[in-house]
Amino acid sequence: MKAATCDCPVGLCRRWSPEGKTDWYEPCEPLLERAGLPWFYFIPSPSKLVEELRGAYILESEALWGRRHWEN
């Protein structure tokens, strides 16, 4: 199955089927860094991460976007 892609300049969005309702974003960390964006820029909440990265996400994203920003 061929993936459809978007033109996101800092990563790759994929829709694995034309009928799919979900897009999957694969960030390109070097491009995010060059653009001045944090590694977690496209991650909406800590629940979207593996448990090992949740603490870092919470610490770093709350410093940038405020306490419990993902609940808003």
Side-chain angles (χ1 to χ4, degrees):
M1 182 182 319
K2 185 172 179 0
T5 60
C6 73
D7 291 325
C8 184
V10 292
L12 181 64
C13 299
R14 298 177 187 244
R15 178 162 288 161
W16 289 102
S17 73
E19 301 81 34
K21 294 188 179 359
T22 303
D23 291 333
W24 301 96
Y25 177 74
E26 296 178 16
C28 176
E29 284 83 3
L31 291 177
L32 286 171
E33 190 174 321
R34 267 187 254 144
L37 300 171
W39 64 269
F40 53 83
Y41 185 76
F42 289 102
I43 301 170
S45 77
S47 67
K48 303 295 183 183
L49 289 166
V50 295
E51 194 161 334
E52 296 82 35
L53 292 176
R54 289 179 186 168
Y57 173 89
I58 290 169
L59 183 69
E60 294 177 47
S61 70
E62 284 187 346
L64 191 60
W65 296 323
R67 183 164 154 63
R68 302 185 73 82
H69 60 85
W70 58 89
E71 293 179 349
N72 296 326

